[in-house]
Amino acid sequence: MSRLKSWLSKEDKSIQSAEQKSRRPAADGDAKSGLKSAGVIETETNFYRYLVSKASLLPQADDFDSEIPDNRILLDVELAPALARQATKQENKELFNALKAQLFQDVESRVENRLMSIDDETYHRFSISPYLMDAVNIVNTKAASISRIKPLALKHAGLVQNLVGVMNRFGLVKKSDDKPLEPKDAELCLGFLGIEKIRVFLPYLIVHESLKDAGAKFHQTSRKIWNHVQITAQAASALASLEDGLDPDEVYMLALFHEMGAAMLLHIVDECFYETRHELSRDAAESGASEVSHKLAEITSAVPVLDRLMPMKAKALSAEISARYKLNFFRLAPTLEDLSQSMSIDEMGPAARVIAQGRSYAVFKQMYKEELIDKVQATALLNYYQIDTNKIKLLNKQKYLKVPKVEP
């Protein structure tokens, strides 16, 4: 049994014990959480850092590389050359670390400047296409129909392939010749599913495609974000079923898009990294420092920049992206703005609140499984977001990482 299941399967008294250790009483329906504690802020910051690289949260091992073997005594004739080689290695290491520090500082500065004034071209290349969001808007109208969304959905080749791939995986549509479905059969798939299933399935495909694209640059980060938004969406949908006036399917769709900013940051940081590294290499070559140019080529990504900027920028960027779409029937922009700007969960509207709660459960589920938080930290997080024992039981019964409305 996993560490997570082992804890959650214990009796209520185990959870209550952890609540007492956190020195914060479990929240009831009318309780107020107030401002976040430093511990909750740290957990959420570290979660973004986990998305970037788990290694950044683990103790760093001492890097020791000696030219002098520890299993024998060197002769005098061997000692001097060994010490010289070790000194050279140390100089090269210091040069490499200095270059990395300068490179990452320049990359971060470039990213910050880009984020202050994102141009239309950047939005066009690195965010979800407006015509796909138009399709999401349409499926949320009373007059939604397959015929209205078909021209928009079928324009995106990657989405079409994803749609057909899912249908083949579950064997939901059979052709007369029993051959696998092809992209040209996408219209057949849409007709088979119908508008009610497509309403939720289409946003799922759209977000998946956007993260697959970002995954070409930061594969592990993109995969973890995709798992995170799926868990958040399912948890938020389950919690929405407890609230009057909330549509669980709409909440599911809204939650899927809550990390659009994180996905765009993957693109922007990667592009700024390669631009900056190219400029530094060119300057080094022009000044005759070929060794510097060679060393720069050994630095292949700007993970430390992403590690620093993701916690600070992702939420606000998600809200900024959503505000650019014209979604009259899909409350994405106000919901993500609520998530980004509210000082506490008490200030959030109903949809944003259950998404924030679903997100906190996803943070807990992913970080506790990886042993990056303990029971006290996990309980403090869940208590702040007013996830009591009954809600934990409800969320624990959900099946996560499933294809909505499609997977049997």
Side-chain angles (χ1 to χ4, degrees):
M1 182 179 291
S2 71
R3 180 171 179 260
L4 177 62
K5 290 182 179 179
S6 176
W7 180 36
L8 292 178
S9 63
K10 293 180 180 179
E11 297 180 1
D12 290 353
K13 62 183 181 181
S14 299
I15 299 177
Q16 291 169 358
S17 175
E19 287 172 352
Q20 292 170 356
K21 290 181 182 179
S22 72
R23 298 182 181 180
R24 185 183 184 90
D28 59 39
D30 298 321
K32 298 294 183 182
S33 293
L35 298 179
K36 292 180 186 177
S37 68
V40 171
I41 293 173
E42 181 182 17
T43 297
E44 294 186 323
T45 297
N46 284 342
F47 176 71
Y48 274 118
R49 298 185 65 203
Y50 154 72
L51 292 179
V52 175
S53 174
K54 179 182 176 181
S56 64
L57 297 174
L58 300 176
Q60 300 299 307
D62 292 334
D63 185 13
F64 181 74
D65 181 17
S66 177
E67 286 286 334
I68 304 176
D70 55 6
N71 60 349
R72 68 185 181 91
I73 299 175
L74 290 180
L75 300 176
D76 289 343
V77 71
E78 297 175 298
L79 183 58
L83 290 173
R85 287 195 300 270
Q86 185 164 324
T88 301
K89 276 190 174 183
Q90 184 62 31
E91 290 176 2
N92 289 338
K93 180 180 177 181
E94 291 174 358
L95 171 62
F96 184 66
N97 288 338
L99 283 172
K100 281 201 300 185
Q102 183 62 54
L103 174 61
F104 294 151
Q105 181 179 335
D106 292 349
V107 171
E108 183 171 337
S109 178
R110 187 182 291 247
V111 172
E112 292 270 17
N113 290 334
R114 285 278 291 274
L115 292 177
M116 287 178 62
S117 181
I118 303 176
D119 56 38
D120 291 339
E121 182 187 0
T122 299
Y123 279 117
H124 175 73
R125 291 188 296 132
F126 297 150
S127 63
I128 296 169
S129 298
Y131 66 80
L132 289 178
M133 296 305 294
D134 287 343
V136 174
N137 192 49
I138 290 171
V139 297
N140 281 282
T141 66
K142 292 182 179 180
S145 66
I146 295 297
S147 61
R148 290 186 66 195
I149 67 165
K150 181 174 63 178
L152 299 170
L154 299 187
K155 282 173 63 177
H156 195 287
L159 187 141
V160 167
Q161 291 178 344
N162 202 344
L163 166 65
V164 171
V166 171
M167 301 300 281
N168 278 328
R169 192 197 323 167
F170 298 115
L172 296 177
V173 179
K174 295 290 185 181
K175 296 171 65 174
S176 57
D177 56 6
D178 285 335
K179 290 183 178 179
L181 297 167
E182 301 175 40
K184 64 181 181 181
D185 301 312
E187 186 173 343
L188 174 65
C189 296
L190 292 176
F192 172 82
L193 290 170
I195 195 63
E196 284 304 314
K197 289 183 178 179
I198 284 294
R199 181 182 179 226
V200 177
F201 185 38
L202 180 62
Y204 171 92
L205 290 175
I206 289 171
V207 175
H208 190 200
E209 277 303 306
S210 73
L211 285 167
K212 281 170 62 180
D213 187 27
K217 300 164 183 178
F218 292 94
H219 175 68
Q220 291 297 325
T221 300
S222 179
R223 181 183 59 80
K224 286 188 282 189
I225 294 173
W226 174 231
N227 287 343
H228 171 67
V229 298
Q230 290 181 85
I231 296 170
T232 298
Q234 182 59 43
S237 177
L239 293 171
S241 67
L242 304 176
E243 303 287 337
D244 294 334
L246 286 180
D247 176 358
D249 284 348
E250 181 186 22
V251 167
Y252 182 95
M253 290 183 281
L254 290 167
L256 282 174
F257 293 100
H258 85 276
E259 292 292 4
M260 288 191 298
M264 180 181 261
L265 268 175
L266 299 184
H267 290 287
I268 293 177
V269 169
D270 184 70
E271 184 168 87
C272 289
F273 165 71
Y274 282 103
E275 290 174 352
T276 306
R277 191 182 69 170
H278 174 74
E279 290 178 3
L280 287 176
S281 296
R282 181 196 61 205
D283 294 344
E286 290 176 354
S287 62
S290 58
E291 184 179 357
V292 171
S293 181
H294 175 72
K295 288 291 184 183
L296 284 170
E298 298 177 15
I299 307 172
T300 57
S301 73
V303 166
V305 177
L306 202 57
D307 178 75
R308 175 172 165 76
L309 293 183
M310 184 84 82
M312 296 190 295
K313 305 293 184 181
K315 284 186 179 180
L317 187 53
S318 293
E320 185 178 337
I321 296 168
S322 67
R324 293 179 60 84
Y325 299 120
K326 298 178 181 179
L327 306 174
N328 301 327
F329 300 96
F330 187 51
R331 301 175 296 168
L332 184 61
T335 302
L336 296 191
E337 182 179 344
D338 215 358
L339 280 170
S340 170
Q341 297 184 4
S342 295
M343 295 296 293
S344 76
I345 189 173
D346 305 320
E347 298 177 357
M348 295 181 184
R353 186 182 304 113
V354 295
I355 292 172
Q357 290 175 324
R359 185 181 185 280
S360 72
Y361 180 79
V363 169
F364 150 69
K365 189 176 179 71
Q366 290 177 275
M367 293 194 75
Y368 194 80
K369 180 180 179 181
E370 296 286 348
E371 300 187 11
L372 295 175
I373 56 174
D374 58 26
K375 292 181 181 180
V376 174
Q377 292 168 311
T379 304
L381 175 71
L382 297 174
N383 280 345
Y384 171 78
Y385 283 99
Q386 302 169 12
I387 307 293
D388 58 23
T389 303
N390 290 331
K391 288 178 180 176
I392 283 285
K393 289 179 178 178
L394 171 66
L395 295 176
N396 228 24
K397 293 177 182 177
Q398 304 303 307
K399 293 184 178 180
Y400 298 97
L401 307 182
K402 290 187 63 176
V403 183
K405 306 293 184 180
V406 173
E407 186 169 350

